[in-house]
Amino acid sequence: MTDSEKEMYMLYAMLPAFKRKVEKSLSIIRDAFRIENVKWSASISFGKDSLVLLDLLHQVTDRIPVHFMDSAYKLPDIYETMELTQQRYKFDIFKTHFADGRPMQEVWERFGIPGINRTESMQNKALQVLKKEPSDRWAKENGYNGVFWGIRKEESRSRRWMIMSMGVTFENTQGFYRCAPLADWTARDVWAYIVSRNLPYPKLYDYQKFQTRDWIRNTGWATTDGANEGRILWLREFYPEYYEKLEWMLPDVKSYT
């Protein structure tokens, strides 16, 4: 990140509207902890949004278990950030594996290829089976019935609909609670918070060619979501060794470069 970008975010972080947004998120977290008979955990990917969430949580409590969904396809930046974040907060990480460790080719065969031939309904089903179910299973097996997550309305139409219809903190039909303290945040809010709090973040967000920092995803190198918006070009430019692996696994990606 350039000095001028840092200065811009620092100035933004001084605005009263931004400070009110931070206080509102802290209030959402405190209210969630007041709900009786809910044992909370935090779903942390070590991407930009979840790093902000983690810092907010640690302003309220230092006893929040962190759940991380690992895979064989994460970029190394994520693990570097994870280590720095652990040093900052001194917490334990509990891991499960994306898709319960299934090979990515098997995932593609069952659910289609994101950003290429996966429909919206297939995407919703994939997220449920590959991410939510393993995560929820870990929580239930360890006695947690609530999870904080860093989703924002700005990210997608489906997330906006869910938050608008369910609220930022809600209980699902299975009696499991979810809380999204960053629901109303913009990407600029997220970066202003990261810069003003001097939080470590994955360097992949600074590789702003073909995609902007606001929309770069911290998902693994085998993720093709956003292929038409430059995701594959971005991977080839900044992580050529991982692009070669992806091309070997999925020759069709060559048509997006």
Side-chain angles (χ1 to χ4, degrees):
M1 187 178 296
T2 65
D3 290 341
S4 61
E5 287 176 310
K6 291 178 182 177
E7 182 179 4
M8 177 190 68
Y9 289 128
M10 287 295 291
L11 290 171
Y12 185 83
M14 296 171 63
L15 296 176
F18 173 80
K19 294 179 180 179
R20 287 194 297 269
K21 190 165 288 189
V22 172
E23 285 304 315
K24 180 181 177 182
S25 295
L26 289 169
S27 178
I28 289 170
I29 292 169
R30 294 188 189 102
D31 288 344
F33 277 118
R34 294 189 186 104
I35 302 174
E36 294 184 0
N37 301 317
V38 179
K39 189 177 179 182
W40 291 96
S41 63
S43 178
I44 304 297
S45 68
F46 297 95
K48 67 183 191 302
D49 300 332
S50 68
L51 291 168
V52 171
L53 171 64
L54 186 60
D55 191 75
L56 290 169
L57 287 168
H58 274 269
Q59 292 183 53
V60 177
T61 180
D62 59 357
R63 297 183 178 180
I64 187 76
V66 170
H67 173 250
F68 171 65
M69 182 159 287
D70 204 352
S71 79
Y73 309 101
K74 291 287 186 183
L75 292 168
D77 312 37
I78 300 303
Y79 299 106
E80 294 170 5
T81 302
M82 181 191 302
E83 183 176 348
L84 291 171
T85 307
Q86 275 187 292
Q87 294 172 7
R88 185 183 183 103
Y89 303 112
K90 311 298 183 186
F91 57 82
D92 294 324
I93 298 177
F94 302 89
K95 297 181 181 180
T96 56
H97 290 276
F98 172 78
D100 290 321
R102 297 185 186 99
M104 189 59 71
Q105 292 94 330
E106 182 180 327
V107 172
W108 290 333
E109 288 175 5
R110 181 175 178 185
F111 297 104
I113 304 169
I116 295 179
N117 64 8
R118 183 182 291 177
T119 65
E120 184 174 353
S121 62
M122 292 164 70
Q123 174 71 359
N124 292 336
K125 180 64 175 177
L127 290 175
Q128 180 67 32
V129 173
L130 304 175
K131 288 187 174 183
K132 291 181 182 177
E133 288 182 3
S135 179
D136 289 354
R137 185 167 60 250
W138 169 85
K140 291 175 183 177
E141 288 174 353
N142 289 276
Y144 300 106
N145 60 340
V147 62
F148 290 100
W149 51 355
I151 67 168
R152 297 181 292 111
K153 290 189 295 188
E154 182 185 64
E155 293 178 293
S156 70
R157 182 173 53 188
S158 61
R159 290 186 173 185
R160 171 175 287 274
W161 177 88
M162 181 186 66
I163 292 168
M164 294 297 290
S165 60
M166 304 295 290
V168 294
T169 304
F170 63 91
E171 179 184 11
N172 67 18
T173 54
Q174 289 77 42
F176 195 85
Y177 282 81
R178 299 188 187 278
C179 181
L182 304 183
D184 292 320
W185 286 45
T186 65
R188 178 178 286 185
D189 295 326
V190 169
W191 285 113
Y193 189 93
I194 287 173
V195 172
S196 63
R197 296 280 293 180
N198 195 30
L199 302 184
Y201 66 89
K203 62 185 178 183
L204 60 89
Y205 288 112
D206 289 335
Y207 299 152
Q208 295 190 90
K209 185 177 181 181
F210 308 112
Q211 294 187 314
T212 67
R213 177 181 289 109
D214 291 354
W215 294 106
I216 291 172
R217 303 290 298 275
N218 79 313
T219 45
W221 55 264
T223 299
T224 54
D225 197 11
N228 285 317
E229 288 77 44
R231 168 72 185 190
I232 307 302
L233 285 167
W234 177 88
L235 185 69
R236 188 182 67 173
E237 177 79 13
F238 298 109
Y239 298 92
E241 68 277 24
Y242 292 107
Y243 170 77
E244 289 178 6
K245 291 181 180 180
L246 178 60
E247 185 185 283
W248 178 83
M249 292 168 55
L250 187 67
D252 288 352
V253 300
K254 288 186 289 187
S255 63
Y256 294 89
T257 61

